[in-house]
Amino acid sequence: MKKALVTGANKGIGFEIAKQLSEKDFHVLLGARDVIRGKSATEELNSIGGNVSFIQLDLNSEESIRQVVEEIKQDHSDLSLLINNAGIAGNLEHGPMETDMHALREAFEVNFFGTFELTREILPLIKENDGTILNVTMDMASLAILSEGVLPNSFTYNTSKTANNAMMVGFARELKDTNAQIFSVTPGPTSTDLNGHHPLGKSPAEGAKIIVDYATDGLRHHGKMLMKDGIMPW
């Protein structure tokens, strides 16, 4: 049975990713910062036939990341899929002039630095297992799409996720001569806690399906940014 770690999986798209991977016979390690919510989500998925284990993971804590990586190396050394889903939005209504520096740094700590550290530490294991790392990105992280001026100028979220895309490219170069891969996928506009459940037209389950389909289709998407119907512009 394949194993996958999904970060930020106690609710929203992350929860649905964990659910759908479990339905595809993955043993899912459900990563969440909040112990109570994480265990509750794990119990819910197991009650409907899932094969899910809870792992407390706080991407804002280097110690937490190190502990999780050591636990995985010891107990789940056959891990072959990491889905970096966890993220925080900051104030989606604030452009650069209204952005609070503390909020900006907080977003980068999770969306970039914490995700970077987890990915770097777990990459050797993924490489050894010819596995996959999938970063959940968003349309708002595309400089080309943002430049069109249609999507919100949500500076904190947009910039931290754009940096995440650049991080993916850097790791892709590290893996280019291996059988492992890393790539990014946007589910497109989706109604979640992240955006206050704004009615954007796509449910978390629908958004998660796009991500899970790419993660499990058996194809090589290495170094790409993908959306439902193909390549996402940079």
Side-chain angles (χ1 to χ4, degrees):
M1 178 177 287
K2 294 183 178 181
K3 288 183 180 177
L5 169 62
V6 184
T7 68
N10 63 288
K11 61 181 180 179
I13 289 179
F15 177 85
E16 291 294 337
I17 291 171
K19 180 175 182 289
Q20 293 177 28
L21 285 174
S22 186
E23 290 170 348
K24 290 180 177 288
D25 295 325
F26 274 81
H27 176 188
V28 178
L29 308 180
L30 188 152
R33 179 177 59 182
D34 188 290
V35 175
I36 294 175
R37 292 178 179 177
K39 287 185 175 180
S40 176
T42 300
E43 291 171 2
E44 181 179 346
L45 291 175
N46 286 332
S47 72
I48 56 175
N51 186 354
V52 182
S53 301
F54 170 64
I55 287 186
Q56 184 182 16
L57 172 61
D58 182 359
L59 289 176
N60 203 28
S61 165
E62 292 184 16
E63 181 180 357
S64 175
I65 293 170
R66 284 196 298 269
Q67 288 177 347
V68 165
V69 171
E70 287 305 312
E71 180 179 346
I72 289 174
K73 287 180 178 178
Q74 180 175 336
D75 300 330
H76 307 285
S77 61
D78 53 344
L79 184 86
S80 61
L81 176 61
L82 166 63
I83 297 189
N84 285 317
N85 166 75
I88 60 176
N91 192 319
L92 294 175
E93 297 180 358
H94 285 178
M97 294 304 293
E98 298 84 17
T99 292
D100 175 76
M101 281 299 296
H102 174 75
L104 183 62
R105 292 180 188 278
E106 185 178 47
F108 265 84
E109 281 296 332
V110 174
N111 298 349
F112 181 78
F113 291 112
T115 300
F116 165 75
E117 188 66 15
L118 176 65
T119 301
R120 183 170 67 172
E121 293 301 315
I122 216 162
L123 185 139
L125 194 60
I126 295 291
K127 181 179 177 181
E128 179 181 334
N129 294 330
D130 296 337
T132 294
I133 299 172
L134 188 157
N135 287 357
V136 177
T137 187
M138 292 300 292
D139 299 37
M140 295 161 71
S142 163
L143 296 179
I145 295 176
L146 275 180
S147 296
E148 295 173 357
V150 177
L151 295 178
N153 190 19
S154 305
F155 189 75
T156 293
Y157 185 66
N158 298 354
T159 54
S160 60
K161 294 297 281 188
T162 300
N164 185 290
N165 289 343
M167 171 181 66
M168 182 275 291
V169 174
F171 280 122
R173 294 183 64 177
E174 298 277 351
L175 291 173
K176 67 183 179 67
D177 296 322
T178 75
N179 292 322
Q181 64 174 335
I182 183 172
F183 57 94
S184 298
V185 176
T186 173
T190 306
S191 178
T192 67
D193 282 359
L194 200 72
N195 52 41
H197 295 284
H198 187 72
L200 297 171
K202 189 183 280 105
S203 70
E206 292 169 332
K209 185 177 186 304
I210 295 169
I211 294 163
V212 172
D213 283 350
Y214 275 119
T216 61
D217 64 9
L219 301 177
R220 188 163 178 81
H221 303 294
H222 187 58
K224 296 178 181 177
M225 290 201 318
L226 301 166
M227 52 204 317
K228 181 180 179 182
D229 299 317
I231 300 295
M232 173 179 165
W234 291 99

